[in-house]
Amino acid sequence: MKKYILSLTLGAALLGASELKYQEFDGFKSPESIFVDKNFVYVSNVGEKLEPLAKDNDGFISKLDKNGKVLEYKFLSNLNAPKGMMELNNTLYVVDIDVLRGFDLKSKKEIFNLPIKGAIFLNDIEKLDDNTLVVSDTGTGLILKVDLKEKSYDELLKLDLAKFGGPNGLYLDNKNNKLFIAGYHPNGLSGGVVMSYDLAKKELSIVKNEKESYDGIVPYNDALLVSSWGENLNGLVYSLENGKTTKLELPSMKGSADMFIEGDILWIPKMVEGKILKVKLQN
């Protein structure tokens, strides 16, 4: 068995007066999304080439401990271009271009497979309840509700791509019954915006109107953290709070993609570089 040893870099950055400590882990293959459960960290790898729509069977999921040590480099393999993930009832669900797939975390067997007709670029997953997932399709502008028991899906929202960008990252605020959406630039459009969708009122609001290639979106205290691919691949992470936007002072990031937050720890894929970043937001 081959052993994969990933390089580790330690550093620090500044956010206001607070020092942010970070670790960088190397050796991944176009990492797009990170999901963390009680014990482990999962990283979706699109594959050798950064081709998020290629059905080339070289995508895989890596399994790490919370210190960033790789436990199984190819924990799940033979995927095409896996992206967003969500764990539910010991099943890891992952979107793979135009299919929602589910894998038993103990046996690693695929136990769920739901092709999404007409899907172009399935991207992120959120949990609505124990039987329902919300899935974004950046390519079509659709956000879908998926019934896991019935293996069916319905349209929750369709975005105007030219106006809002395609839905990329999702964050569901259950307390306020709102779905936050990071807009991306599909099909060469100028970019997307950051939005909030009231699930009860079915109203869409703009949170950040400046168009960029937004990707991941997570909550932190009273703020939203949103990653962007930036200009010329100079990726960054914004903090949005009370109408104010600030940038986290982080190391260079090319392809800052679908983030995950657990407490004060923020995990960021650096998709173009084949690396992931672990950031401690508080001392």
Side-chain angles (χ1 to χ4, degrees):
M1 176 184 289
K2 286 186 177 180
K3 291 185 178 180
Y4 293 88
I5 302 174
L6 306 190
S7 65
L8 167 64
T9 304
L10 296 174
L14 294 177
L15 172 60
S18 301
E19 184 179 76
L20 299 182
K21 296 182 179 180
Y22 60 85
Q23 296 171 287
E24 189 176 77
F25 305 92
D26 199 355
F28 299 94
K29 302 298 182 183
S30 306
E32 200 282 333
S33 181
I34 295 174
F35 183 86
V36 182
D37 66 13
K38 290 189 294 185
N39 300 305
F40 304 110
V41 178
Y42 301 94
V43 181
S44 64
N45 296 259
V46 165
E48 288 287 342
K49 296 180 180 179
L50 208 170
E51 296 178 345
L53 299 181
K55 295 186 176 181
D56 49 17
N57 207 43
D58 76 340
F60 60 96
I61 309 292
S62 299
K63 181 179 179 180
L64 291 65
D65 68 15
K66 294 195 177 182
N67 294 316
K69 178 183 177 182
V70 175
L71 303 175
E72 291 186 66
Y73 187 62
K74 291 190 176 183
F75 172 67
L76 301 173
S77 56
N78 298 318
L79 289 88
N80 287 309
K83 300 176 185 71
M85 296 172 285
M86 173 62 62
E87 182 183 346
L88 188 59
N89 300 323
N90 204 44
T91 300
L92 186 68
Y93 292 92
V94 55
V95 285
D96 195 5
I97 303 179
D98 55 2
V99 180
L100 174 63
R101 306 172 70 174
F103 297 87
D104 184 281
L105 284 171
K106 291 184 178 179
S107 68
K108 299 193 283 187
K109 292 182 179 179
E110 184 170 6
I111 58 173
F112 185 92
N113 187 293
L114 178 63
I116 307 297
K117 186 177 180 180
I120 296 175
F121 195 145
L122 298 180
N123 208 319
D124 201 11
I125 309 175
E126 260 288 22
K127 171 190 169 183
L128 188 60
D129 57 46
D130 286 342
N131 184 56
T132 312
L133 298 179
V134 179
V135 176
S136 62
D137 184 349
T138 309
T140 64
L142 285 169
I143 297 176
L144 304 170
K145 285 174 59 177
V146 180
D147 185 312
L148 298 175
K149 289 182 180 177
E150 298 296 329
K151 284 195 172 182
S152 63
Y153 53 89
D154 295 299
E155 178 181 319
L156 174 67
L157 176 65
K158 183 174 175 61
L159 296 178
D160 182 324
L161 295 177
K163 187 175 182 180
F164 302 111
N168 192 333
L170 303 173
Y171 156 56
L172 184 61
D173 179 356
N174 288 297
K175 181 179 179 181
N176 295 298
N177 204 27
K178 289 185 178 181
L179 180 68
F180 289 90
I181 307 158
Y184 192 77
H185 70 93
N187 307 320
L189 297 176
S190 60
V193 299
V194 181
M195 297 152 275
S196 169
Y197 182 66
D198 190 307
L199 293 169
K201 297 179 181 179
K202 298 184 179 180
E203 293 177 353
L204 187 69
S205 304
I206 305 299
V207 178
K208 188 175 186 297
N209 197 42
E210 296 81 7
K211 285 194 171 184
E212 295 187 32
S213 300
Y214 301 108
D215 200 313
I217 182 167
V218 297
Y220 182 64
N221 295 333
D222 295 324
L224 285 175
L225 302 182
V226 184
S227 64
S228 169
W229 283 56
E231 295 183 6
N232 301 314
L233 292 180
N234 293 315
L236 44 83
V237 175
Y238 293 107
S239 174
L240 311 179
E241 186 174 5
N242 298 324
K244 182 181 179 181
T245 299
T246 55
K247 297 177 184 177
L248 274 66
E249 295 297 327
L250 294 168
S252 172
M253 294 185 292
K254 293 184 178 181
S256 43
D258 188 19
M259 308 180 295
F260 192 94
I261 194 161
E262 183 187 36
D264 292 322
I265 301 299
L266 179 66
W267 295 85
I268 310 170
K270 300 170 72 172
M271 193 173 181
V272 177
E273 301 176 57
K275 301 176 183 178
I276 63 174
L277 198 65
K278 178 185 179 183
V279 183
K280 189 175 183 181
L281 297 174
Q282 293 289 341
N283 293 323

